[in-house]
Structures are given as structure tokens and as C-alpha cells.
Amino acid sequence: MSTIETPESQQHLAEPPVIEEPGRRRWVTAGIGSAVALVALAAAGYGIFQTVSAKPAQPYGGTPPWSIPDDPAPGMKAAGLTAGPMGTAEHYHAHLSVFVDGRAVEVPANIGIEGEDMTPVHTHDARGVIHVESRAKGEVYTLGQIFKQWGVTLSANQIGALRTGNGKVLTTQVDGKPFTGDPAAIVIKAHEQISLVYGVPDPSFTPPTSFAFKADE
């Protein structure tokens, strides 16, 4: 005697009944949820690891790298400068090199710049080139004004949060010649090479004595 398969019976054959054990279906659901949670936690953990392992720039006088402040106005005010259109009375450039424990520290772009405006002493890129674009002839600007706008402390015994002592010193050279006293007082002059070196003295290390400016600098 033959058996006639109805759609209902075909579905029944294709999907054998699931024998539910007490609590099994709930355990499977919970297991899937736990797996999803573990994946999410793993992803979150990776993000945290990335954040912790990558050292962000530290503005306002911490340890290098030193970024520019989010709000440049307080630094400009501390330097006694105001932002405005580019000055055209005088235009020249100097170069700043900073070394901490034997490593070069980047002098960031846009120190002293706020939107389209800028102070008479500022940076445009991260080469360490200081631009002086004054609004009147004969105006004098100092290295300290750059550092105040940068938000990094500079004195004869401190750069950022790094202080002299315990074998570490801060030395300054201008065009290869030692500068004694407060480096913040250095007057910025055309094509001047200023080098700040912090750390344990290394007789084998010689800071740059000059800089290769571009033809239009």
C-alpha cells in the first residue's frame, strides 16, 4: 500500500522534530548572546589597547611631543601678541631645533595662527621654521613668545615639564655658539639657527649650526 505525501508531511520529513530538553533552548540562546558579548568586549578591548598604547601629544608643558593648544588665544595673550592679517612691513625666518634625550622633538605647524589670522611670529609647517611677519619695521620678537604661544614652558632650567637636575641639563646654541642665560630671551633674527638640547650631556652629539632654508625664505 503506497503512502501519499502531502505538503504537510513533506515539511514534516524535511524538518525533523526537535526534542526539547529542559532548559536546552534557553541555554543555546544564552550561549549565542554570550558569544556576541565576548566579541563586543574583544573589539572594545582592542580599541582601549590602541588608545593606551598610542601616546597622544601633550600640550601645555607636559612631556614631548608637544602639540599646539586647542585654543590659541591665551598663549597669544601671554606672549603679548594679537592675531590679524599677515604683516608686510618685515618678513624673515629663523629655525628652531629641539632635542630631548637625544631625540629631535617636532616643532608643530600653526603656532600663533588662529583661523585665517596670525600673530607677527608664528609657524606654518612642522619644519621648525619660525616666520616673522611684522606689521611695523623694527619690531623685536623673542623665542619666548613662540613658546608661550606653543603652550610650552621655557626657561634657563626648564622646557615643558622637563627640569634640569639629576645629571640633566638644558643647553642652548645660536648659530653654533653657546648661549647662556634664559633661552626665552633670545631675539629672533633672520636665518638664525637656534638649538635647544635637554638631557644628560653627550659629547658625541653636536646640534645643528645652520639650516637649509628654501630659496624664498
Side-chain angles (χ1 to χ4, degrees):
M1 176 174 160
S2 61
T3 302
I4 300 174
E5 296 183 359
T6 64
E8 290 78 6
S9 63
Q10 290 175 351
Q11 182 179 4
H12 179 74
L13 292 172
E15 300 177 2
V18 177
I19 299 175
E20 294 189 17
E21 298 178 8
R24 178 178 175 81
R25 187 177 295 273
R26 182 178 299 173
W27 181 88
V28 171
T29 303
I32 294 172
S34 299
V36 172
L38 286 173
V39 171
L41 286 173
Y46 179 76
I48 293 171
F49 175 78
Q50 291 288 81
T51 301
V52 171
S53 63
K55 184 179 179 181
Q58 298 182 38
Y60 308 117
T63 56
W66 293 300
S67 67
I68 60 173
D70 292 333
D71 181 6
M76 293 176 179
K77 183 178 180 180
L81 302 171
T82 57
M86 181 181 72
T88 57
E90 288 185 310
H91 188 181
Y92 55 91
H93 308 86
H95 185 263
L96 171 64
S97 298
V98 180
F99 299 91
V100 171
D101 294 329
R103 296 186 177 185
V105 176
E106 182 180 89
V107 179
N110 298 323
I111 296 173
I113 292 181
E114 184 176 22
E116 298 296 323
D117 293 331
M118 62 195 73
T119 66
V121 55
H122 55 269
T123 67
H124 284 292
D125 54 35
R127 293 181 299 139
V129 174
I130 298 172
H131 293 246
V132 174
E133 297 166 8
S134 62
R135 298 165 189 151
K137 289 186 177 182
E139 292 184 342
V140 175
Y141 302 100
T142 65
L143 186 63
Q145 289 177 300
I146 276 288
F147 274 80
K148 285 183 183 297
Q149 294 179 96
W150 191 358
V152 178
T153 300
L154 179 64
S155 68
N157 56 12
Q158 184 176 358
I159 180 169
L162 306 175
R163 296 179 179 272
T164 59
N166 297 321
K168 296 198 173 187
V169 299
L170 176 62
T171 60
T172 306
Q173 288 189 5
V174 178
D175 294 334
K177 298 178 181 179
F179 178 91
T180 58
D182 187 351
I186 293 173
V187 174
I188 299 171
K189 298 178 181 179
H191 288 183
E192 194 172 48
Q193 167 60 42
I194 304 169
S195 299
L196 302 176
V197 183
Y198 172 86
V200 176
D202 180 3
S204 66
F205 176 74
T206 302
T209 61
S210 62
F211 179 74
F213 291 93
K214 293 180 180 180
D216 58 350
E217 292 177 335

